Amino acid sequence: MASPHADAQAEKGRLLEEQDDESSSSELSGVRTAVASPINRLASIDIEGINDVDIEKEATNTQERPQKNGAKLVAWITVNTLATIGIIFTNKAIFSDPSFQRSQVSFASFHFFVTSLTLFILSRPQLGMFTPEPVRISTLLPLAVAMSLNVILPNASLQFSSVTFYQLARILLTPTVALINYIFYNTSIPRLAGYALIPACFGVGIVSYYDSRAPANPKVTSTSFVGVIFAFSGVLASSLYTVWVSSYQKSLKLNSMQLLYNQAPVGGVLLLYIVPWTDNFWSVNHASLSKWMLILLSGCFASLINLSQFFIIGGAGPVSSTVVGHLKTCAIVTLGWITSGRSVGDKSIFGILLAIAGIIA
């Protein structure tokens, strides 16, 4: 039988447990209230109206973004096309002047330095178009030599050739690059693409034959045998340069802008050592102010070409960039034909159409 003292202790323990249970229930209820209050307040807001506004804004931004990007891409394509056409006809006017016929190397060096300045500006943190990556000069020397020949020989061709032949000869770059890749790197192109290059090569051959013949009308612009040699030599140098650029980019792990940023100043300085042995500065002293303005304009065109090409490849990809190249070829050939003074019945027009059909196919 339990003593009265034990019963009192048991009753006291039961009361303490009940108080603890009530306290725990009160605390839990407070936590639930605290959590529920913000949720209830949030639920009282017109969430549906806010979501409608946000969705409408996002939809508007989504629609405007492609339109802005598309308009910007079209603008850069237009700039690139006009600058390419402008630089060819500007250089043709410069080299037609006897004062600049022996200034090919210094002119190429000038373009390299303009390109270097343009890339330096684009690489600044304020613009951040690309991040420069240093490369040893000795590593870049072979590529800089190829780059120099890639500019000098086509410029020399432009001096002794018509604009139409100059541009059509550049079509041979594609089959020549494909041949070099196949011989040295065992890389082939699709068979159908190879078949499409055959009429392009025949077309260039036809234009080479008829455009280099002495025209009956002295006002008609034609191509000399020296111009043909320079053109084909330029195609070989440009093809080798194109293959090497791809190889250097892979081995050095650089993009096109980073590689050009390193090699352009090297090429410009390298040509300065050759200028005293090749160029004639005495005749340049007699050049008119308008010719010097054309040289400045040519440098501006070169900068615009490099800048716009960067945005075209970045915004549309290499395939669209190739399409833009075909567009420029057609435009330059057409304008070159119009300014050459040749008639529509000239036999070389068949070669022009055949070559253009080959690159478009």
Side-chain angles (χ1 to χ4, degrees):
M1 183 175 178
S3 64
H5 179 71
D7 292 340
Q9 290 292 334
E11 182 66 22
K12 184 179 180 180
R14 188 175 68 255
L15 291 175
L16 290 174
E17 289 178 1
E18 288 178 358
Q19 289 178 358
D20 290 341
D21 291 341
E22 290 177 1
S23 177
S24 299
S25 300
S26 177
E27 290 177 358
L28 181 60
S29 176
V31 171
R32 289 174 178 172
T33 304
V35 172
S37 296
I39 296 177
N40 292 336
R41 288 197 299 269
L42 184 60
S44 65
I45 302 176
D46 187 6
I47 304 252
E48 184 177 358
I50 294 177
N51 287 341
D52 289 342
V53 174
D54 291 341
I55 292 173
E56 184 178 350
K57 287 182 179 179
E58 182 64 27
T60 304
N61 293 336
T62 305
Q63 292 174 357
E64 290 178 354
R65 198 176 299 120
Q67 292 177 357
K68 290 180 179 179
N69 292 339
K72 186 182 294 185
L73 181 61
V74 171
W76 282 119
I77 290 175
T78 304
V79 169
N80 183 272
T81 303
L82 294 178
T84 304
I85 295 172
I87 198 172
I88 290 178
F89 284 93
T90 301
N91 290 353
K92 178 65 175 176
I94 293 171
F95 296 137
S96 298
D97 190 326
S99 302
F100 291 95
Q101 287 183 353
R102 290 191 57 187
S103 303
Q104 304 289 343
V105 179
S106 55
F107 194 76
S109 180
F110 165 70
H111 269 200
F112 287 169
F113 285 124
V114 170
T115 300
S116 301
L117 178 61
T118 303
L119 293 175
F120 176 78
I121 295 173
L122 295 180
S123 67
R124 295 306 86 196
Q126 292 79 2
L127 297 177
M129 298 296 182
F130 67 96
T131 302
E133 292 290 340
V135 181
R136 293 180 61 180
I137 295 177
S138 58
T139 304
L140 293 172
L141 275 179
L143 187 64
V145 172
M147 180 185 182
S148 301
L149 294 175
N150 173 54
V151 175
I152 294 173
L153 292 175
N155 282 346
S157 168
L158 189 59
Q159 177 183 343
F160 299 100
S161 307
S162 66
V163 173
T164 300
F165 172 75
Y166 164 84
Q167 188 62 30
L168 283 177
R170 307 301 291 174
I171 292 176
L172 296 178
L173 277 171
T174 303
T176 307
V177 168
L179 184 61
I180 292 175
N181 279 325
Y182 180 75
I183 294 174
F184 294 101
Y185 298 96
N186 198 25
T187 303
S188 59
I189 61 175
R191 181 170 297 182
L192 292 178
Y195 289 154
L197 295 176
I198 296 176
C201 294
F202 272 110
V204 174
I206 293 172
V207 175
S208 302
Y209 174 75
Y210 285 107
D211 204 67
S212 59
R213 297 177 63 182
N217 185 356
K219 294 183 179 180
V220 173
T221 304
S222 61
T223 300
S224 66
F225 179 74
V226 176
V228 174
I229 297 300
F230 275 131
F232 290 153
S233 301
V235 167
L236 183 59
S238 299
S239 301
L240 183 61
Y241 173 68
T242 301
V243 173
W244 277 4
V245 164
S246 177
S247 177
Y248 269 74
Q249 282 186 247
K250 292 178 181 178
S251 61
L252 298 176
K253 297 180 180 179
L254 303 176
N255 61 36
S256 58
M257 285 294 172
Q258 290 172 329
L259 183 60
L260 188 58
Y261 177 84
N262 284 281
Q263 73 184 36
V266 175
V269 173
L270 183 66
L271 291 180
L272 290 180
Y273 288 96
I274 307 175
V275 166
W277 308 98
T278 58
D279 291 12
N280 185 358
F281 287 103
W282 296 107
S283 57
V284 172
N285 294 332
H286 303 287
S288 62
L289 178 62
S290 60
K291 293 298 179 183
W292 289 109
M293 295 301 295
L294 285 178
I295 291 175
L296 181 61
L297 183 62
S298 177
C300 293
F301 283 144
S303 297
L304 288 174
I305 290 171
N306 290 321
L307 179 61
S308 58
Q309 192 70 21
F310 177 80
F311 282 103
I312 291 172
I313 294 177
V319 175
S320 298
S321 179
T322 303
V323 174
V324 174
H326 294 339
L327 173 64
K328 291 187 291 186
T329 296
C330 295
I332 292 169
V333 168
T334 302
L335 291 174
W337 178 271
I338 293 173
T339 57
S340 67
R342 294 182 179 273
S343 62
V344 179
D346 194 283
K347 295 180 180 179
S348 62
I349 195 171
F350 174 72
I352 294 173
L353 296 176
L354 189 61
I356 292 178
I359 65 171
I360 294 178

